[in-house]
């Protein structure tokens, strides 16, 4: 047992530790960390895209939706209508339905108001007797033409872009109107979007070919 | 510990020893339980933190149980809650426990926070404990809001609309934020699954991790000693002073202080159960059908004050206020221990702190109270549901009575109360004739103003005349209606009653 090496002195021990720090093992460990970081990055990138999905895909929510025949809306009346949002899934249930107010000013002239108060989005109610829209939440009131009458809203009711085609009234709808996302903002995507849309989009009905607002019976742009 | 594996020990002790040799957790638990705390902290004031934890555990347990049945799809969520309420045995009770547990949790967390603030417990070395706690408060509020969304009734649907409208006010990226929040361009199934994931996985997971960190720091840094006026916190000496205090006048946390925590937690759990049994579950209210617009959406109790603030802000201030104030509030809360981390802890030496808490409490109370009866909203059914008091119609001309018809029929009542009933958006009109002359009444009705819409286009001249004639009768018997002095002159053929000028008299010649 005398041949046994003496234990390393304190200095030698330190030295060996120091060598360990830069040894092959340390190097391999660092490589391992780098590999994992790389893998994490590779996984995280698609996850970010996935999370941003609602922004990146299905731009076709702004499309023309038929809401009824022109004859359904006699001049001078404001009617509550319901349409099914083109941007919907089978599991949306009742929430796929969207209400709106159609106001016919004169024959062939229509204004379609979003139900959502321009203040904080609550459903406004129409009172034909006093010709006012009133909001139950914070007391916003609008005149029959949608302009602000009183209360906290800073603007009039949101309006959907509308047009008449073949005796039918069409509106451009599909998104919740807020101060940034105006009800019918933006041109029809099929005019601007690249021709090869991703497959995800294909399941939703595309804009019909004559997408420009027709000359006949379209009320002036009412956004803003 | 020394495991004695002799067969004479009873089986359960042997089983315990077998486990403990492998897990070796007895030591750390004993250390945590027996660590000394200042004697003065074994107080009823120090029970709110542990009660918050108890409520969090209650929420996790009841939440998991509800998760066994709840359907997170827009088409079926509401029905699955109805099923829980009415068909599954005691499903209603679990929903009620979860709902009331949520209210209690927000309340107890707020009380805990106020107590920690008033006792100066956020000061050195517990700054990070406070900062973590601020984020736990935000997560608790986030849980309350997302939970309200999962109820998926009309309030939830339109509450989301309010959330989206607030998001939509963010400059530049507001539109994109709305789409991210809703999981698409509109409120639908994608929105519900999004909030389900937030409420069930993301926020509670983070909250539990933060809770572990929070409790860990409480154990490591020790419970805040009872603040005494004049005992100043200094970074150099505090740790030594605290250690001396706990060793000279300390008691082990278990059982010295923990029994009060246990009593209070049990009391809170009983209170939740009693409320749940007596008042039942929250909703779900009406079906989340957006086409049912005859609804008055209202947020849950702890968000009513925001509802009030949003209705009283002037339109031009609203967007800056909504976007800036919450950020400032969070920054102030986070920065508090970093800015005021030393000095006096006792509330007798911190008048600003005491006044701040009292001010916030009063604001919260008043705004919440206003939110319960929303005086700023038109009362939508007042015009058709509440008749004109009979005494206002007695001895009136047909024209005045016709005016009362116009008053009801044109929805004036929705904003203006008469006889104590009707909307409170505008002033009550019982004495309006003493405030406005006939001409002023015409002007106000036709042109509006002062937050009243103009009715010029909704009233025919005949209706307007009738309405104003009716309004002119609205004054108490002992007060004369206000009148324009010049009108009186006109009626008396141009001569004021007390005039010394005689009609047709000689005038002094001009010089």
């Amino acid at each position: 047992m005398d041949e046994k090496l003496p234990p390393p002195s304190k200095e030698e021990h330190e030295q060996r530790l120091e060598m360990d720090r830069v040894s092959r093992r340390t190097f391999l460990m660092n490589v391992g960390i780098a590999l994992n970081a790389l893998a994490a990055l590779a996984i995280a990138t698609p996850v970010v895209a996935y999370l941003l999905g609602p922004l990146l895909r299905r731009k076709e929510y702004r499309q023309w939706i038929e809401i009824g025949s022109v004859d359904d809306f006699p001049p001078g009346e404001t009617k509550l209508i319901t349409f099914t949002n083109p941007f919907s899934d089978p599991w949306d249930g009742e929430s796929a339905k969207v209400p709106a107010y159609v106001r016919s000013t004169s024959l062939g002239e229509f204004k379609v108001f979003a139900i959502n108060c321009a203040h904080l989005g609550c459903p406004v109610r129409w009172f034909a007797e006093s010709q006012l829209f009133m909001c139950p939440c914070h007391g916003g009131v609008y005149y029959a033409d949608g302009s602000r009458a009183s209360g906290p809203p800073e603007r009039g009711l949101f309006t959907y872009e509308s047009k008449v085609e073949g005796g039918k009234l069409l509106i451009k709808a599909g998104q919740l109107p807020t101060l940034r996302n105006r009800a019918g903002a933006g041109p029809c995507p099929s005019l601007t979007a690249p021709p090869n849309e991703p497959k995800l989009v294909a399941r939703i009905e595309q804009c019909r070919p004559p997408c420009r607002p027709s000359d006949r019976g379209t009320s002036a742009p009412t956004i803003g | 510990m020394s495991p004695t594996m002799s067969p004479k020990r009873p089986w359960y002790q042997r089983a315990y020893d077998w486990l403990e040799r492998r897990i070796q957790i007895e030591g750390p638990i004993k250390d945590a339980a027996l660590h000394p705390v200042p004697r003065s902290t074994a107080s009823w004031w120090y029970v709110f933190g542990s009660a918050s934890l108890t409520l969090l555990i209650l929420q996790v347990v009841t939440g998991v149980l509800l998760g066994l049945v709840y359907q997170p799809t827009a088409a079926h969520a509401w029905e699955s809650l109805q099923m829980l309420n009415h068909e599954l045995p005691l499903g209603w009770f679990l929903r009620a426990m979860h709902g009331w547990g949520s209210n209690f949790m927000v309340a107890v967390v707020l009380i805990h926070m106020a107590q920690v603030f008033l006792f100066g417990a956020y000061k050195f070395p517990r700054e990070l404990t406070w900062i973590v706690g601020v984020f736990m408060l935000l997560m608790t509020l986030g849980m309350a809001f997302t939970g309200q969304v999962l109820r998926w009734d009309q309030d939830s649907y339109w509450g989301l609309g309010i959330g989206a409208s607030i998001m939509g006010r963010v400059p530049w990226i507001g539109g994109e934020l709305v789409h991210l929040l809703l999981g698409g361009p509109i409120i639908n199934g994608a929105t519900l699954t999004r909030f389900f994931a937030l409420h069930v996985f993301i926020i509670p997971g983070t909250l539990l991790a933060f809770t572990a960190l929070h409790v860990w720091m409480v154990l490591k840094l020790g419970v805040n000693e009872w603040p005494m006026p004049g005992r100043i916190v200094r970074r150099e000496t505090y740790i030594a002073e605290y250690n001396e205090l706990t060793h000279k006048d300390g008691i082990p946390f278990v059982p010295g202080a923990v029994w009060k925590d246990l009593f209070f937690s049990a009391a809170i759990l009983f209170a939740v159960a009693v409320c749940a049994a007596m008042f039942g579950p929250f909703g779900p209210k009406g079906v989340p059908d957006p086409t049912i617009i005859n609804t008055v959406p209202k947020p849950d109790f702890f968000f009513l004050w925001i509802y009030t603030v949003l209705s009283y802000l002037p339109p031009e201030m609203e967007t800056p206020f909504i976007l800036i104030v919450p950020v400032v509030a969070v920054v102030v809360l986070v920065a508090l221990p970093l800015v005021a981390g030393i000095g006096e802890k006792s509330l007798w030496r911190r008048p600003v702190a005491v006044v701040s808490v009292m001010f916030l409490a009063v604001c919260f109370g008043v705004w919440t109270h206003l939110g319960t009866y929303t005086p700023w909203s038109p009362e939508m059914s007042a015009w058709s549901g509440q008749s004109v008091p009979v005494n206002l119609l007695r001895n009136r001309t047909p024209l005045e009575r016709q005016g009362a018809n116009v008053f009801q029929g044109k929805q004036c009542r929705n904003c203006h109360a008469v006889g104590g009933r009707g909307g409170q958006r505008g002033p009550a009109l019982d004495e309006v004739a003493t405030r406005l002359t006939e001409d002023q009444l015409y002007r106000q009705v036709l042109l509006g103003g002062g937050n009243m819409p103009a009715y010029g286009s909704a009233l025919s001249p005949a209706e307007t005349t009738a309405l104003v004639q009716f309004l002119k009768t609205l004054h108490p018997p002992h007060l004369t209606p206000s009148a324009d002095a010049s009108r009186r002159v006109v009626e008396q053929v141009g001569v004021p009653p007390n005039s010394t000028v005689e009609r047709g008299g000689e005038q002094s010649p001009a010089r």
Side-chain angles (χ1 to χ4, degrees):
Chain A
M1 289 297 177
D2 287 320
E3 269 107 296
K4 194 182 166 191
L5 283 170
S9 73
K10 209 176 175 190
E11 289 77 29
E12 274 177 328
H13 188 67
E14 285 291 316
Q15 223 173 352
R16 278 186 200 179
L17 275 179
E18 188 59 37
M19 275 174 66
D20 246 12
R21 245 167 249 149
V22 292
S23 72
R24 201 166 57 111
R25 285 187 206 105
T26 323
F27 172 73
L28 286 175
M29 182 186 77
N30 288 338
V31 170
I33 291 173
L35 280 175
N36 276 281
L38 209 66
L41 196 69
I43 295 167
T45 313
V47 167
V48 169
Y50 172 81
L51 287 176
L52 294 178
L55 302 182
L56 301 177
R57 65 184 191 122
R58 290 173 47 159
K59 294 271 187 206
E60 76 295 352
Y61 50 80
R62 295 180 293 229
Q63 60 170 276
W64 291 108
I65 301 156
E66 189 189 311
I67 54 172
S69 163
V70 173
D71 309 327
D72 298 342
F73 308 108
E77 281 192 20
T78 300
K79 274 192 167 180
L80 179 67
I81 54 122
T82 301
F83 60 91
T84 301
N85 187 20
F87 180 86
S88 61
D89 291 305
W91 50 86
D92 285 342
E94 308 277 325
S95 65
K97 292 192 279 183
V98 185
Y101 286 109
V102 180
R103 175 174 186 247
S104 173
T105 41
S106 57
L107 205 60
E109 289 281 326
F110 299 99
K111 240 179 173 182
V112 186
F113 301 115
I115 195 87
N116 307 88
C117 182
H119 178 225
L120 288 172
C122 287
V124 295
R125 284 189 224 173
W126 168 243
F127 289 92
E129 295 82 1
S130 50
Q131 297 278 303
L132 292 173
F133 295 98
M134 294 190 194
C135 178
C137 282
H138 301 100
V141 182
Y142 307 85
Y143 292 116
D145 65 352
S147 57
R148 175 186 179 276
S150 78
E154 52 191 77
R155 49 157 288 159
L157 285 175
F158 299 107
T159 47
Y160 295 108
E161 213 176 315
S162 65
K163 67 171 180 179
V164 176
E165 213 173 73
K168 303 283 182 197
L169 181 59
L170 299 141
I171 58 168
K172 202 181 256 187
Q175 91 173 327
L176 182 76
T178 55
L179 286 176
R180 293 256 148 224
N181 300 332
R182 306 287 162 80
C188 180
S190 69
L191 293 178
T192 52
N196 51 344
E197 298 246 40
K199 277 281 182 285
L200 275 168
V201 179
R203 71 194 180 97
I204 304 285
E205 192 187 355
Q206 292 301 304
C207 284
R208 277 153 235 189
C211 215
R212 285 158 235 87
S214 67
D215 302 327
R216 181 179 56 86
T218 307
S219 60
T222 48
I223 314 296
Chain B
M1 69 166 293
S2 57
T4 45
M5 300 297 274
S6 75
K8 280 177 190 160
R9 289 165 66 81
W11 65 269
Y12 50 86
Q13 280 194 359
R14 276 183 284 128
Y16 177 83
D17 291 342
W18 189 91
L19 285 171
E20 174 52 26
R21 277 188 87 184
R22 283 152 185 84
I23 306 173
Q24 304 191 9
I25 203 170
E26 196 183 277
I29 287 182
K30 262 190 177 162
D31 282 350
L34 300 178
H35 80 280
V37 296
R39 185 180 297 276
S40 52
T41 65
S43 150
W44 287 109
W45 282 106
Y46 281 66
V47 296
F48 299 109
S50 60
S52 307
L53 179 62
T54 308
L55 285 166
L56 175 61
I57 295 167
L58 172 75
Q59 290 306 90
V60 170
V61 172
T62 50
V64 168
L65 290 172
L66 292 175
L68 298 177
V69 176
Y70 180 72
Q71 298 289 314
T73 68
H76 299 297
W78 191 84
E79 286 153 33
S80 72
L81 292 180
Q82 290 292 352
M83 214 266 279
L84 268 164
N85 270 3
H86 300 296
E87 289 173 40
L88 270 186
L90 288 181
W92 67 271
F93 186 68
L94 269 178
R95 283 204 63 233
M97 285 292 280
H98 198 66
W100 281 100
S102 145
N103 275 351
F104 271 82
M105 184 163 162
V106 177
V108 172
V109 163
L110 287 176
I111 295 172
H112 175 54
M113 193 169 181
Q115 183 266 326
V116 163
F117 176 69
L118 289 175
F119 280 54
Y122 60 87
K123 296 192 182 226
F124 177 85
R126 302 183 182 84
E127 301 98 328
L128 190 60
T129 322
W130 167 271
I131 293 172
V132 169
V134 168
F135 288 105
M136 290 164 70
L137 170 75
L138 294 179
M139 282 185 261
T140 306
L141 294 177
M143 287 301 283
F145 182 76
T146 52
Q148 179 192 321
V149 170
L150 295 200
R151 210 183 304 142
W152 205 245
D153 52 12
Q154 281 166 358
D155 283 3
S156 141
Y157 184 92
W158 296 109
L160 278 169
I162 291 178
S165 299
I166 289 175
M167 281 281 184
R169 287 163 184 262
V170 177
W172 304 299
I173 54 166
E176 282 73 26
L177 283 181
V178 170
H179 286 201
L180 267 187
L181 176 81
L182 301 181
I186 205 160
I187 303 164
N188 60 15
T191 316
L192 179 57
T193 45
R194 200 151 265 252
F195 277 83
F196 181 74
L198 278 173
H199 186 80
V200 173
F201 300 113
I202 299 166
I203 303 180
T206 323
L207 182 55
L208 287 174
F210 272 57
T211 306
L213 181 62
H214 195 76
V215 173
W216 171 261
M217 282 192 284
V218 171
L219 289 173
K220 285 286 139 183
L221 301 173
V223 176
N224 185 42
E225 80 284 358
W226 189 272
M228 302 291 273
R231 193 194 280 161
I232 310 284
V233 178
R234 293 187 187 83
R235 288 206 173 81
E236 305 77 38
T237 54
Y238 178 79
I239 302 283
E241 285 170 11
Y242 182 80
N243 282 339
E244 199 195 327
L245 189 72
T246 50
H247 286 109
K248 258 173 59 184
D249 191 27
I251 48 172
F253 176 64
V254 177
V258 80
W259 72 268
K260 282 179 178 155
D261 289 299
L262 291 173
F263 270 55
F264 188 71
S265 286
I268 283 284
L269 286 181
F270 273 122
V272 173
V274 166
C275 283
M278 281 178 65
F279 304 112
F282 293 94
K285 295 184 191 163
V287 234
D289 182 342
T291 63
I292 302 174
I293 61 159
N294 286 340
T295 171
V296 183
K298 231 174 189 193
D300 280 1
F301 181 79
F302 278 105
F303 298 106
L304 278 176
W305 66 276
I306 302 180
Y307 191 72
T308 303
V309 170
L310 291 179
S311 69
Y312 279 133
L313 282 172
E316 65 279 4
M317 259 184 67
E318 191 142 6
T319 299
F321 186 92
I322 290 175
L323 298 180
I324 294 170
V325 168
V327 177
V328 171
V330 171
V331 168
V332 166
L333 285 177
V334 167
L336 172 75
L338 306 176
V339 174
I342 51 170
E344 281 281 358
K345 274 184 175 177
S346 168
L347 56 87
W348 301 110
R349 298 279 170 93
R350 292 165 55 224
V352 176
V354 176
V355 170
S356 308
V357 170
M358 282 162 63
F359 175 72
L360 290 177
V362 168
C363 286
F364 177 82
V366 169
W367 290 338
T368 302
H369 177 62
L370 284 169
T372 55
Y373 68 99
T374 63
W376 53 83
S377 288
E379 199 178 322
M380 296 300 198
S381 56
W383 68 289
S384 55
Q386 293 169 8
S387 55
V388 178
V390 178
N391 62 324
L392 297 182
L393 301 174
R394 218 167 263 149
N395 303 325
R396 297 286 179 255
T397 65
L399 182 63
E400 288 161 354
R401 288 186 182 167
Q402 187 55 36
N405 275 340
V406 175
F407 179 72
Q408 291 289 118
K410 294 292 178 181
Q411 283 98 19
C412 304
R413 197 83 183 269
N414 286 16
C415 292
H416 293 288
V418 166
R421 297 180 69 197
Q424 296 175 55
R425 171 92 214 181
L429 297 184
D430 299 278
E431 303 184 358
V432 69
T434 64
R435 297 195 298 269
L436 297 178
T437 65
E438 182 173 357
D439 290 349
Q440 288 169 329
L441 283 171
Y442 274 112
R443 201 211 62 84
Q444 184 65 30
V445 167
L446 294 177
L447 301 179
N451 216 6
M452 176 174 159
Y455 281 78
S457 57
L459 290 171
S460 70
E463 286 171 330
T464 314
T465 309
L467 177 61
V468 170
Q469 291 309 314
F470 170 66
L471 293 176
K472 269 178 69 185
T473 67
L474 296 180
H475 60 89
H478 60 283
L479 290 178
T480 49
S482 59
D484 193 331
S486 66
R487 277 299 180 94
R488 238 162 56 217
V489 174
V490 172
E491 276 160 19
Q492 295 178 6
V493 218
V495 182
N498 304 326
S499 172
T500 53
V501 178
E502 279 183 44
R503 195 173 176 81
E506 292 204 4
Q507 296 191 348
S508 50
R511 286 184 194 175

